[in-house]
Amino acid sequence: MAPKDDPLHGLIGRLYDAAMDEGLWSGLADDIATTFGATSAVLKIDHASGSQVDILELTSNFEVTQRDPAWAEHWHRHDLWVQQSRRLGANRVITSQDLMPRAQLENTGFYRDWLRPLDIHSMVGAVFTLENDALGVIGVHRPASHSGDFDEHDRRRLGMLLPHLQRAFQLRQRLQKQHLERAAASLWLDRTAVAVFVVSAKGRLVHANGRAEQLLRQQTALLVADGRLTTGPAGPAADMARQIAAAAHSAAGRAQRPGNALLIPRPGEAPLTLLIAPLSASMAASARLPQQPLVALFAHDPEELDLSPRTLQALFGLTPTEARIAAALALGYSLEEASEAQDIGIGTARTHLKSAMAKTGTHRQAEMVSLLLRSVAPWSRMAESGGSADISKR
């Protein structure tokens, strides 16, 4: 164990802080180099394929590589010390003397083209296992002008740091994966035409995506009263509350056979359809939602269904007119209504329809409509500022 006044203790704390906050990796390589009486250090991740190396942090002497990034990338991917350390086995501290004699190293292209221009003469380091068959790498270096190579004392100190470094890298990997999953889920929820609500067992609203907030602003089918999600006056409010409570029991691990669907009528409009499901504790935790039984409600408003003609063009190679006609048909308009909206004759509209079916690989109008509705076109409308398929928007 290192003495209490050893800067190694502070370095270990900084590693865990950096694992939680990506911005705190900056400066760690300099701290590592100083702690080991060295002039340079590198922290990186070597992926299993060997085709990619992620650099987490470098000391300033590596900044020369910015003038020729291809040169730097080549030698980071063909790091002879990393390759030799792999053969010796991961999770052990080694020095450059362990890997090969100095005379042999100095005859390699790795030394002549990479180490010598960076004034790197000796090394203490390690490769260590991470998730997804990746390897973490730490290298600490001294120049030729230094009075001595790394010794057993340096090896022991790096051995004390290594398990903490490995845990910090692993924690960073897991947090990055969670952040990516949350970002992807958030993007999907914002793009989808489905309104998503998360409520407590008593219906208290915990979360609503963008489409859900739009529905609430309408104050018709669904609304919030006293902090709880409920239906409008004509809706089955009591039935929805019972289904939410039953789903919450299931979320808490108490077996239930809850109803899971509701139809909410709306005067003068198509009804809103609602799916109610328990939200697992793991899903709630990953989304940083409160630790309590939660229920998800998925509401679909058929009045809001829209297809992006621009997306249909990109997916199937349709012309703008073909895409607008195809989208209008998918939304329930007749070919006559679509042709009138496009200010073309019915015969010309039939020609465009025939061409659209050929490009989508379908043989009947209903088959083409089904394909379009199951594509990503309904999701992309929020990505566009205009271009609605509604034929009333000419």
Side-chain angles (χ1 to χ4, degrees):
M1 182 177 293
K4 290 184 179 181
D5 59 349
D6 192 323
L8 205 60
H9 292 286
L11 187 58
I12 290 170
R14 281 206 60 193
L15 283 173
Y16 288 113
D17 290 340
M20 303 296 292
D21 184 344
E22 193 71 15
L24 296 180
W25 287 103
S26 179
L28 261 174
D30 289 312
D31 286 354
I32 291 171
T34 301
T35 300
F36 285 88
T39 53
S40 68
V42 60
L43 296 172
K44 56 188 179 181
I45 297 175
D46 196 350
H47 292 273
S49 64
S51 61
Q52 180 183 345
V53 176
D54 295 336
I55 307 298
L56 264 65
E57 176 65 2
L58 297 165
T59 44
S60 58
N61 66 309
F62 282 94
E63 290 177 2
V64 66
T65 63
Q66 295 175 3
R67 295 198 295 268
D68 191 348
W71 170 61
E73 181 184 359
H74 170 82
W75 285 115
H76 278 301
R77 287 194 292 109
H78 298 85
D79 188 321
L80 185 60
W81 280 339
V82 171
Q83 292 171 356
Q84 298 242 343
S85 298
R86 280 177 178 269
R87 296 190 187 101
L88 289 178
N91 306 317
R92 57 182 293 182
V93 177
I94 49 88
T95 65
S96 49
Q97 303 95 281
D98 297 327
L99 299 177
M100 65 177 63
R102 176 147 325 177
Q104 182 181 348
L105 173 66
E106 291 177 353
N107 284 326
T108 64
F110 175 64
Y111 178 81
R112 292 193 303 268
D113 296 342
W114 178 245
L115 298 182
R116 187 164 57 190
L118 295 175
D119 195 18
I120 292 175
H121 187 67
S122 62
M123 177 273 301
V124 62
V127 298
F128 47 93
T129 53
L130 299 174
E131 295 178 359
N132 301 321
D133 295 325
L135 285 177
V137 178
I138 179 173
V140 186
H141 319 117
R142 284 174 179 165
S145 59
H146 196 278
S147 58
D149 293 332
F150 292 101
D151 56 20
E152 191 60 33
H153 174 67
D154 299 309
R155 193 198 301 268
R156 283 197 304 270
R157 293 182 74 229
L158 186 56
M160 287 183 251
L161 181 67
L162 187 59
H164 301 286
L165 183 64
Q166 183 180 33
R167 290 189 197 112
F169 270 51
Q170 290 171 337
L171 181 58
R172 175 184 179 272
Q173 276 188 313
R174 292 166 191 166
L175 289 175
Q176 282 189 327
K177 181 180 178 181
Q178 291 177 5
H179 292 158
L180 285 172
E181 289 173 347
R182 289 193 194 105
S186 177
L187 180 61
W188 182 85
L189 287 175
D190 286 340
R191 285 286 180 87
T192 183
V194 176
V196 182
F197 304 88
V198 178
V199 300
S200 69
K202 293 185 178 181
R204 187 166 295 279
L205 186 63
V206 175
H207 174 77
N209 74 342
R211 181 68 197 107
E213 291 175 349
Q214 290 178 21
L215 271 179
L216 292 177
R217 284 194 292 269
Q218 294 173 10
Q219 293 285 303
T220 54
L222 291 171
L223 50 89
V224 175
D226 297 326
R228 291 178 171 82
L229 185 68
T230 185
T231 70
D239 196 7
M240 188 173 83
R242 281 193 296 271
Q243 290 199 29
I244 288 173
H249 274 77
S250 294
R254 298 188 289 274
Q256 293 281 321
R257 293 181 61 86
N260 65 347
L262 275 177
L263 191 71
I264 303 178
R266 296 183 295 179
E269 292 183 291
L272 193 72
T273 54
L274 197 66
L275 185 68
I276 302 173
L279 193 65
S280 70
S282 60
M283 289 178 65
S286 67
R288 296 183 179 178
L289 294 170
Q291 297 300 301
Q292 58 176 296
L294 296 174
V295 176
L297 294 89
F298 306 91
H300 184 257
D301 184 354
E303 300 286 348
E304 287 296 318
L305 181 62
D306 196 3
L307 276 79
S308 162
R310 192 179 307 169
T311 302
L312 295 180
Q313 289 177 246
L315 289 174
F316 303 108
L318 305 183
T319 67
T321 302
E322 290 168 355
R324 286 192 292 269
I325 288 176
L329 294 174
L331 294 176
Y333 295 102
S334 68
L335 187 59
E336 288 76 10
E337 290 170 319
S339 64
E340 182 181 347
Q342 299 304 314
D343 198 22
I344 59 177
I346 187 65
T348 302
R350 287 196 181 96
T351 299
H352 285 300
L353 172 58
K354 183 177 179 180
S355 177
M357 287 193 295
K359 290 177 180 179
T360 56
T362 56
H363 301 89
R364 294 180 294 112
Q365 179 177 319
E367 186 183 358
M368 182 189 73
V369 165
S370 176
L371 174 64
L372 301 186
L373 291 176
R374 287 183 286 116
S375 75
V376 296
W379 302 352
S380 59
R381 63 183 180 86
M382 291 186 184
E384 300 182 1
S385 58
S388 170
D390 188 338
I391 65 174
S392 66
K393 299 175 182 177
R394 305 186 185 185

